[in-house]
Amino acid sequence: MHFVPPSREVLAETLLAAGPSAPTLCEGWATKELVAHLYLRERSPRVGFGLAVRGLRGVSDAATERLASKHATPEAYASLVAAFRAGPPKASPLRIPRLDEAANLAEFFVHTEDVRRATERWAPRALDAAYSDALWEHVVRQAAILYRGVDLGIVLVSPHGPRHVAKRAPVSVAIVGEPGELLLHATGRGSHALVTFEGQPDAVALLTTADVGP
């Protein structure tokens, strides 16, 4: 199944409902910066390259800020959300479903929650089982990279049974949660992820202060 098109729709609707100045979980970004980021990463190779190379991140950030400032009014913001919703250009490799899935499955889920969970009142979404399974497969593939800065063994545990040893070490912590919640934790959004921990208290305390994420 291809989950990115409906995920794009949900993200676009979430952004529209929030408006241009709503908070997000992305440090320093309101919703207008977030949608500018989403638009540029699909349409500007220079910005996309800047996202991938730490030393060029300033190029990406500057372009995002410029585009966001031009779309700060509700009308302009809505037009930028519509442009994101329309998808990448026809010549983009992201028009290939498999590449689109690899690039945007986790991106769209996480950024939807970045908007939803930045408010005081939110509840987790009920996800389709196949969609949840796809998120599990993604977090399993990326976990070793996302937890590379943690000086602990990491075991990811789904309540439905699957377990994945992401990193081995003499002392380990198991992180238990639905796949989407595990993905949010693994991408550095631990304070807003509905997960529990199993392990020695000092190891759990170390994990809660560790550098987790891309």
Side-chain angles (χ1 to χ4, degrees):
M1 296 180 66
H2 193 38
F3 299 103
V4 169
S7 297
R8 185 187 294 272
E9 289 290 324
V10 171
L11 177 50
E13 284 297 325
T14 301
L15 288 163
L16 276 178
S21 300
T24 76
L25 300 184
C26 301
E27 185 176 356
W29 281 1
T31 39
K32 61 182 180 294
E33 283 81 21
L34 178 53
V35 72
H37 156 78
L38 290 164
Y39 175 86
L40 288 170
R41 68 185 285 274
E42 293 187 325
R43 293 175 177 266
S44 172
R46 187 182 180 196
V47 169
F49 188 65
L51 289 169
V53 179
R54 186 178 295 272
L56 298 178
R57 186 62 60 87
V59 174
S60 172
D61 289 345
T64 298
E65 292 294 335
R66 285 195 301 271
L67 186 62
S69 67
K70 293 178 181 178
H71 294 82
T73 66
E75 295 79 9
Y77 172 78
S79 71
L80 187 59
V81 173
F84 159 70
R85 183 181 227 148
K90 290 183 179 180
S92 171
L94 293 177
R95 288 286 183 176
I96 301 171
R98 181 169 294 182
L99 295 180
D100 191 24
E101 200 82 6
N104 289 325
L105 175 72
E107 179 87 4
F108 290 175
F109 174 81
V110 169
H111 283 322
T112 298
E113 298 306 312
D114 282 338
V115 179
R116 295 183 69 253
R117 302 189 186 203
T119 62
E120 291 185 0
R121 295 184 178 183
W122 61 268
R125 288 183 285 162
L127 303 181
D128 177 85
Y131 182 35
S132 189
D133 288 345
L135 294 176
W136 169 259
E137 292 174 7
H138 178 89
V139 75
V140 163
R141 288 195 301 269
Q142 297 296 317
I145 297 173
L146 295 171
Y147 287 103
R148 66 189 180 280
V150 181
D151 192 21
L152 292 165
I154 297 294
V155 181
L156 303 179
V157 182
S158 166
H160 309 296
R163 299 172 64 91
H164 172 69
V165 179
K167 187 176 180 181
R168 297 183 184 276
V171 178
S172 295
V173 173
I175 309 172
V176 184
E178 295 290 343
E181 304 299 327
L182 294 173
L183 177 59
L184 290 170
H185 186 276
T187 53
R189 292 152 173 88
S191 60
H192 292 82
L194 300 179
V195 297
T196 58
F197 306 105
E198 297 175 359
Q200 299 175 8
D202 55 344
V204 172
L206 178 59
L207 176 59
T208 59
T209 59
D211 183 15
V212 177

